[in-house]
Amino acid sequence: MSLYSKRGVSAQKEEVHKATEKLDQGLYAHAFCKIYPDYLGNDANWVNLMHADGAGTKSILAFLYWKETGNIDVWKGIAQDAIVMNIDDLLCVGIHDNLLFSSTIDRNKRLIPGEVLEAIISGTQEFFDEMKTYGVGIHYLGGETADVGDVVRSIAVNGTMTARWPKKKLITNDLIKAGDLIVGFASAGQASYETAYNSGIGSNGLTSARHDALHKEYARQFPESFDTGLPEEVVYIGPNRLTDMVEVAGYAATDVGHLLLSPTRTYAPLMKILLEEHFEAIHGLVHCSGGGQTKCLKYLPAPFRIIKDNLFEPPVVFDLLKNASGSDWREMYQVFNMGHRLEVFTTEAAASALIAAGESLGLQGKVV
């Protein structure tokens, strides 16, 4: 059994898929998100979508870093994580404007004061304001903030995003065909719309990342930060403190905390360009989130064989995690994105134009 499984989590979410297998799968079986008829407008040429996701256990890392350093700004990154895990999934069906967002924050009030809530909520609006400058309109419709200390140990930050969208502008993955190339866009580095180096960690696999990287002292100091029913041998087994410094080639040195807490990169500014200027060249889109580099296998319209033989060099954060945990490469590539999160299925003729669009925003892209 893998360390990931021993910690009570699953990269492939088999039990979740089994629990939902009898639900309506929507209008397009291979689309990255479920797409439904236009129940809101009752127009056969439009569709409705609703998506729910969140920052997951990354909020526990923010809690630890905030307690250790007093840096309240890390909570703004958690706000971005909860948003991007929604919007970047919806980008993969072609939606890039006029989105509605509602946040859901559950906290243990004894441990999470109002200043943390303020940082998360203000961070949410700041992210929306930034995306608006790139032509991506997201409307913040409030949400629910609940004090439920008997339910959550620290805080859970989630959100729901919805949209009404014309059918003719959808990406359903039904056009993916044999011979297509996959253009991947890097999850790490510093895009033109980012203010610092992004490690590329995203918001998946953070349970393992936290326990693999961090020292056992965190278990003793912050028992509220983990499931105390877990076997001790899988709890905080790493060598690192959050404030330990790490060298990143080509960028200023940073610490372990910032590597693990890098806000999940959004590809919204890039996808705005690709979907408006290169729509016909896009045969399919996949967001390599849960399931890492195996995610694409779930969204193929036929039993194709996918060959990824030109992947990105794993960013430094994944080397750190592999060295700390001793995990094999197979598990690493199933749990983490390992260097790119956005995949565009396209033709050989169009690939260079898509890559150039990424370069205009400081996003490295290549045929993977």
Side-chain angles (χ1 to χ4, degrees):
M1 182 182 292
S2 70
L3 283 173
Y4 206 60
S5 298
K6 288 180 181 178
R7 290 171 178 140
V9 286
S10 169
Q12 307 298 328
K13 299 196 289 189
E14 295 90 347
E15 292 184 356
V16 174
H17 295 312
K18 182 173 177 57
T20 60
E21 65 184 3
K22 295 181 181 179
L23 296 180
D24 184 351
Q25 298 303 303
L27 296 174
Y28 303 96
H30 310 296
F32 195 80
C33 298
K34 289 184 183 180
I35 302 171
Y36 293 100
D38 182 24
Y39 298 123
L40 296 177
N42 198 29
D43 188 328
N45 296 314
W46 288 68
V47 295
N48 297 158
L49 294 92
M50 182 174 286
H51 193 278
D53 210 331
T57 60
K58 200 169 181 178
S59 62
I60 300 172
L61 275 164
F63 173 75
L64 295 176
Y65 196 85
W66 167 64
K67 295 293 285 186
E68 187 161 319
T69 69
N71 184 346
I72 195 76
D73 287 341
V74 293
W75 291 107
K76 292 187 177 184
I78 295 299
Q80 178 170 324
D81 294 320
I83 298 163
V84 174
M85 292 303 289
N86 280 285
I87 189 173
D88 279 42
D89 277 8
L90 290 176
L91 289 169
C92 286
V93 293
I95 299 174
H96 56 81
D97 199 7
N98 205 26
L99 296 130
L100 308 180
F101 182 80
S102 176
S103 64
T104 304
I105 304 172
D106 293 332
R107 69 163 176 167
N108 184 328
K109 186 179 179 180
R110 181 174 58 85
L111 297 175
I112 306 295
E115 64 177 341
V116 170
L117 294 181
E118 291 175 15
I120 294 170
I121 293 170
S122 64
T124 299
Q125 187 60 59
E126 287 171 15
F127 180 84
F128 294 158
D129 291 344
E130 174 72 7
M131 288 302 102
K132 187 176 181 180
T133 66
Y134 290 93
V136 180
I138 311 169
H139 310 283
Y140 194 10
L141 303 189
E144 163 73 353
T145 300
D147 297 335
V148 285
D150 287 336
V151 177
V152 298
R153 290 175 177 267
S154 53
I155 190 169
V157 183
N158 300 299
T160 303
M161 192 167 278
T162 190
R164 182 173 179 262
W165 199 250
K167 276 186 179 180
K168 66 181 181 180
K169 294 184 179 180
L170 287 171
I171 302 293
T172 65
N173 290 344
D174 289 329
L175 297 180
I176 295 174
K177 63 180 185 297
D180 276 351
L181 301 184
I182 303 175
V183 174
F185 288 95
S187 57
Q190 186 172 346
S192 63
Y193 49 89
E194 294 174 324
T195 59
Y197 171 77
N198 195 313
S199 73
I201 187 75
S203 290
N204 295 100
L206 269 298
T207 297
S208 273
R210 174 166 46 92
H211 286 296
D212 288 341
L214 300 185
H215 193 275
K216 187 73 75 177
E217 179 60 29
Y218 287 100
R220 291 188 282 269
Q221 190 174 357
F222 300 103
E224 66 272 27
S225 71
F226 69 100
D227 177 1
T228 53
L230 292 176
E232 184 178 357
E233 65 267 21
V234 302
V235 174
Y236 292 116
I237 63 174
N240 302 292
R241 300 288 304 192
L242 287 165
T243 52
D244 289 348
M245 298 304 293
V246 180
E247 294 293 328
V248 181
Y251 297 90
T254 187
D255 60 24
V256 170
H258 277 90
L259 287 182
L260 298 178
L261 281 164
S262 284
T264 306
R265 167 175 289 172
T266 183
Y267 294 96
L270 170 62
M271 288 309 304
K272 176 76 172 183
I273 296 171
L274 298 188
L275 290 165
E276 291 192 341
E277 299 180 11
H278 304 279
F279 182 83
E280 299 299 329
I282 300 174
H283 293 174
L285 292 166
V286 171
H287 183 203
C288 299
S289 47
Q293 289 302 319
T294 68
K295 186 80 169 183
C296 55
L297 298 174
K298 294 175 54 182
Y299 301 98
L300 301 176
F304 297 126
R305 180 187 182 197
I306 287 188
I307 300 172
K308 296 183 180 180
D309 56 2
N310 188 40
L311 292 169
F312 287 81
E313 186 73 19
V316 65
V317 68
F318 300 120
D319 287 333
L320 181 148
L321 295 175
K322 187 179 187 301
N323 292 336
S325 67
S327 297
D328 60 31
W329 286 116
R330 181 181 181 86
E331 182 174 3
M332 291 292 293
Y333 277 87
Q334 287 181 331
V335 173
F336 301 106
N337 69 74
M338 298 303 288
H340 79 267
R341 275 190 17 256
L342 176 64
E343 293 184 339
V344 183
F345 289 71
T346 189
T347 65
E348 184 174 0
S352 59
L354 306 188
I355 292 170
E359 291 174 350
S360 73
L361 293 167
L363 286 168
Q364 183 186 3
K366 69 175 184 174
V367 176
V368 298

